[in-house]
Amino acid sequence: MLDISDVLVKKGLALRDRRMNKVNPLLEAQDKRKPLSAKSCLQEQDPVEERAKESNPECAKTVTSEPSNIAVPEEAAVEPMVAEPYLPPLLPDEKKFSAKVLHVAEDGTIYVIQECLENELGVLMLDIQDSFKCLGLMAPYSWRKGEGCLIKGSDTLTYRGKVLDILSGDMITVKYADHGYTEKIPKCHLYPFVYNPHIPRFCIPCQLNDIVPVGDHWQQDAIQLLKELLLKRVVTVHIVEPANYSDGVASVRIYCGNASVSSILEQYDHGIPTGCEKNNVEINGITDIPYEKIWRIDFQELLQNGLETPLLPKYSLESLPRTGELFKVEVTHLQTPNLGFIRIKNESGKSQISGCGDGVTESLQSILEKINSERTELSHLTDFRTDMPCLAAYSDSLLHRGKLQSIKSYDPVTCVVEFVDYGATLVVDTSSLFQLPAVLIQYPAKAINVRLAGFKAPKEDFEIRRLQYCPEWSSKALIEMVDIVGGKTLSAACRAGSENAVFLYDDNQQLVHKPLITMGLADVDEI
């Protein structure tokens, strides 16, 4: 053991501190690495070292003696390897035992805890919280890989942990010793202290013995299936080979009830039973895996012409009349009291959905009615790119023109669809999405996104319920505005100098937003 301070003094990089009587600088340096506070951090001097100094007083003198004149190679100043901070987990005497799954790692490692030790882990966690209630900010500290630590988790609880990697910036990859999680956290959430190192880790890392993944590693969908099957559930673990503590992973079989996890993975084509990979055909030293025996998926269905979605252009947009011209409209959808969609009506009071220009003789409404009567002949949508034109079922169970905005979820697959003739959006599943007939793309989208001019959100509003996506407006203001404009034919005029901004008037040629201002739910916008 070489005192690093001796090397620094010899090279002229430091001076000897003679103001303190150091019995053992190595132990003192180790104590300085511990965080301040926490009554459980106070430890007495090692009794083994005390007995050694009593039996051989010369040993204590050599520690504080002046550095010798013997040349020290630079390699001697390399930082020593950090020992494992916590003892490995204890395996039960029985080959089969009940356990609870704590974590499934991305490499397929399954971390379990014996069911009989859950209470002991709970007691340890309570002791840690009681002992480290007032941990303040850490002073700058040089972390090392493999060093034990205390982790302040995102749930404000403190856990035993271990440093896995030092990342750039202020981030460190750590592993929760008793739970198996791996996480990247800031340095300020770590404390360099090993809590109760004599207590073994509670989580047992396991790998499935009787199955190997398809390919070189476990795929993401296989890991997701394992998490759905196992996380937070009590399973039966059968130890085949005890853990080799160089890597600490035990080879096991895991059963959920009467079903083997390996058989479930094999059923979903995520794994191959151990031994099957040895039956591969080897030609000239090259192994050829008979994938036709592994995969049970028929890809011929993907080659059918009916599954091809024709790539259509985007919808054209309806244009507003000239500034100063008064025209009839209806409000089809409101996002906020002053943002929404309108649809222009003709002089007879009907929505302009009968045509889009020269060459169009059949109305959009009549085509949609015909399509809804023959919807069983429509092909389902198979191309889910953004802004893809489609037909989608609305809340009235009828098909209307729409376009895809985004994928909402993947299991099951649901999509966010905007209905272009109304402006409303809805989450629908793939069974309610159909390919848009090419004849319908020639009609412009009838819903026009506009801003209602003349009013704005109030500066002072004491309504508690707010719109989550637009907190400056209250829910009451939106409800009142829907009551004012809903289902009515209104007059509109474009505002000069503002794009897609319109004034709305009622039958008495009064601005429709005046009741909102009277109730204090909106302010006048003079701009």
Side-chain angles (χ1 to χ4, degrees), residues 86-113:
Y86 298 102
L87 296 177
L90 297 178
L91 294 179
D93 298 332
E94 303 84 6
K95 289 293 184 181
K96 289 186 178 180
F97 62 96
S98 295
K100 185 176 182 180
V101 178
L102 297 177
H103 178 60
V104 178
E106 296 301 319
D107 60 354
T109 303
I110 302 170
Y111 292 87
V112 302
I113 179 175

Side-chain angles (χ1 to χ4, degrees), residues 67-369:
S68 62
N69 295 326
I70 301 176
V72 180
E74 294 183 1
E75 290 78 2
V78 176
E79 189 175 19
M81 294 295 292
V82 178
E84 186 68 26
Y86 298 102
L87 296 177
L90 297 178
L91 294 179
D93 298 332
E94 303 84 6
K95 289 293 184 181
K96 289 186 178 180
F97 62 96
S98 295
K100 185 176 182 180
V101 178
L102 297 177
H103 178 60
V104 178
E106 296 301 319
D107 60 354
T109 303
I110 302 170
Y111 292 87
V112 302
I113 179 175
Q114 297 182 59
E115 193 175 12
C116 59
L117 295 181
E118 283 192 81
N119 291 335
E120 294 187 24
L121 176 57
V123 171
L124 176 67
M125 290 296 297
L126 290 176
D127 289 343
I128 297 176
Q129 313 316 314
D130 292 340
S131 301
F132 297 91
K133 289 182 178 178
C134 303
L135 288 177
L137 293 176
M138 270 292 298
Y141 182 79
S142 179
W143 288 96
R144 296 176 294 174
K145 292 183 180 180
E147 187 174 3
C149 62
L150 289 176
I151 304 171
K152 199 72 173 179
S154 56
D155 55 0
T156 70
L157 297 179
T158 304
Y159 298 84
R160 299 197 303 174
K162 173 185 174 182
V163 175
L164 294 185
D165 195 10
I166 312 298
L167 306 177
S168 59
D170 291 333
M171 302 299 291
I172 291 182
T173 302
V174 296
K175 187 170 187 177
Y176 291 75
D178 299 306
H179 297 79
Y181 311 142
T182 299
E183 188 179 17
K184 296 178 182 178
I185 63 174
K187 291 181 179 179
C188 59
H189 290 178
L190 294 182
Y191 297 88
F193 180 74
V194 179
Y195 184 81
N196 284 352
H198 62 280
I199 298 180
R201 303 192 302 270
F202 282 89
C203 64
I204 303 173
C206 305
Q207 285 186 346
L208 296 175
N209 169 266
D210 49 355
I211 197 167
V212 293
V214 175
D216 296 334
H217 59 278
W218 291 105
Q219 303 297 325
Q220 186 60 40
D221 51 352
I223 298 299
Q224 187 63 33
L225 176 61
L226 282 174
K227 291 180 178 179
E228 293 177 1
L229 287 173
L230 302 176
L231 276 183
K232 307 303 181 184
R233 296 186 179 180
V234 177
V235 297
T236 301
V237 180
H238 179 200
I239 300 177
V240 180
E241 297 178 8
N244 174 12
Y245 284 118
S246 60
D247 54 13
V249 179
S251 182
V252 302
R253 297 189 183 99
I254 297 180
Y255 299 89
C256 292
N258 297 325
S260 169
V261 173
S262 300
S263 63
I264 298 175
L265 290 173
E266 181 186 359
Q267 178 183 354
Y268 284 91
D269 297 314
H270 290 314
I272 309 172
T274 303
C276 290
E277 71 275 8
K278 298 180 182 178
N279 298 328
N280 302 332
V281 181
E282 183 173 349
I283 303 176
N284 296 329
I286 301 177
T287 300
D288 183 19
I289 300 178
Y291 287 104
E292 66 275 4
K293 296 182 180 180
I294 301 173
W295 298 98
R296 296 186 292 275
I297 301 176
D298 186 7
F299 295 100
Q300 296 300 320
E301 295 180 358
L302 300 178
L303 303 179
Q304 297 178 6
N305 294 330
L307 295 179
E308 296 180 0
T309 299
L311 187 60
L312 300 175
K314 294 182 179 180
Y315 295 101
S316 58
L317 301 178
E318 190 83 43
S319 57
L320 291 171
R322 293 173 298 178
T323 302
E325 182 179 344
L326 207 62
F327 53 96
K328 299 293 184 180
V329 299
E330 65 173 341
V331 178
T332 58
H333 180 66
L334 282 177
Q335 298 167 328
T336 67
N338 65 342
L339 288 177
F341 290 83
I342 62 172
R343 190 162 58 187
I344 301 176
K345 287 193 169 186
N346 54 28
E347 294 182 358
S348 62
K350 296 183 179 181
S351 299
Q352 285 187 332
I353 57 174
S354 58
C356 64
D358 297 338
V360 179
T361 57
E362 194 172 6
S363 70
L364 172 62
Q365 187 64 31
S366 61
I367 297 176
L368 286 174
E369 290 176 357

Side-chain angles (χ1 to χ4, degrees), residues 309 315 381-392 401-408 413-420 425-426 428-430 432-434:
T309 299
Y315 295 101
L381 190 69
T382 57
D383 193 333
F384 298 95
R385 68 187 70 189
T386 304
D387 290 334
M388 184 69 182
C390 62
L391 286 174
R401 293 194 305 167
K403 64 178 180 180
L404 294 181
Q405 286 189 338
S406 62
I407 304 295
K408 178 68 174 179
V413 179
T414 57
C415 304
V416 179
V417 177
E418 178 184 336
F419 294 89
V420 297
T425 57
L426 191 67
V428 300
D429 55 27
T430 53
S432 301
L433 290 174
F434 300 91

